Amino acid sequence: MKMTFKRIADLGDLTGKTAVVRVDLNVPMAEGSVADDTRLKAVKPTVDAVISAEGRVILLAHYGRPKGQVVPEMSLKPIVPALARVLGRDVGFYGLDEPKGNEAVIVIENTRFHAGEEANDPTLAAAFAGLGDVYINDAFSAAHRAHASTEGVAKLLPCAAGETMGAELQALENALGAPVKPVAAVVGGAKVSSKLAVLENLVEKVDHLIIGGGMANTFLFAQGYDVGASLCEKDLRDTALVILENAKTHGCAVHLPTDVVVAKEFKAHAENRAVGLTEVDADDMILDAGPETVKALVSVLESAKTLVWNGPMGAFEMEPFDMATVALAQAAARLTDEGKLLTVAGGGDTVAALAHAGAKDSFTHISTAGGAFLEWMEGRELPGVAALG
Ligand code: AMP
């Protein structure tokens, strides 16, 4: 991923200028109010930076998927009071075409109420650009989309990455762009098919690739093991073998489970046993990596300097099949606390899994971006980042 992007300080004197800032206000709501203000807190550093440089801020953001229609339930309006509280300032709220007040911070209604947003329509991009003098993108989670408010507008104004997005890009660069070696990656989760491009990219970049979760079953099957009734994409047998071959060519050690935890039922506290790879019965489901595997993987983490993580090592929502995920997450957290490992993780389920393990706060960087984080792990250039170059 290209890392040549400008920062707010590169935009010159902002005195009396208005910065159009793309942010992520896609917060979870419960009964009309904000249930988790993590994303609102992430907006504050850039707003503070512009205001302390004597500038004004106009915030652009989407909410949900209104698909170019005005959907009142997807208005950004109910979020404004919570944002004002987090920012400690008055925040105005206006439609794109409405006359604006003179508040130092203004939120514009949901960008996706306009069909031109997702179509990256130049007229809409020009309307966004007309709101201010400079453009700042602070929404990494939307950077994989070439939309009017993430890509089109960036071409029309002097532009920069915001504080939160800049920090996120730097953390990602430290993890895969120019990392301290050896680099280990954990890729887990349900299916190989949803993370093929991730695996293909990582075998070329990392020293150790740890494959866990349901997707490990497909690799074990490809290697000739009987995985019984486990989740397994048998049609991806050849693809899995090519990935293993490419790993060999690039000097990447792939770590698959050497023992597994199996159960006959897919439910919490189902009767289970840890077995070797040749002892999986026809009606067994592999739901977690086994203790021997975990021990070996902790040593892999101990030998690494950098770790990238996406996806759980097993069916972690159901105890005790969270064992491998929790043990590895806690080992990564300990090594981070000891200053021995730089740890970057992302993707929806991964954040939940690390929180479940009590490891979240120790990680060097946790990305709350889902799609954008995965596309970054695939080694793809993100249009919203490329436009800032
Ligand atoms: P993903 O969204 O691809 O990261 O997949 C996450 C999901 O994979 C979680 O809901 C896990 O419960 C599930 N998962 C992980 N390992 C297994 C497994 N061995 N069998 C079935 N589901 C699994």
Side-chain angles (χ1 to χ4, degrees), residues 266 268 312 314-319 321-322 349 356:
F266 191 81
F316 79 100
E317 300 95 333
M318 307 184 298
E319 283 183 19
F321 309 109
D322 58 345
D349 265 326
H356 170 73

Side-chain angles (χ1 to χ4, degrees), residues 188-191 194-195 212-215 217 231 266 286-288 310-317 349-350:
K191 290 183 169 180
S194 63
K195 293 182 191 172
M215 68 169 66
N217 302 339
L231 178 64
F266 191 81
I286 301 173
L287 296 181
D288 200 10
N310 174 270
M313 290 293 294
F316 79 100
E317 300 95 333
D349 265 326
T350 312

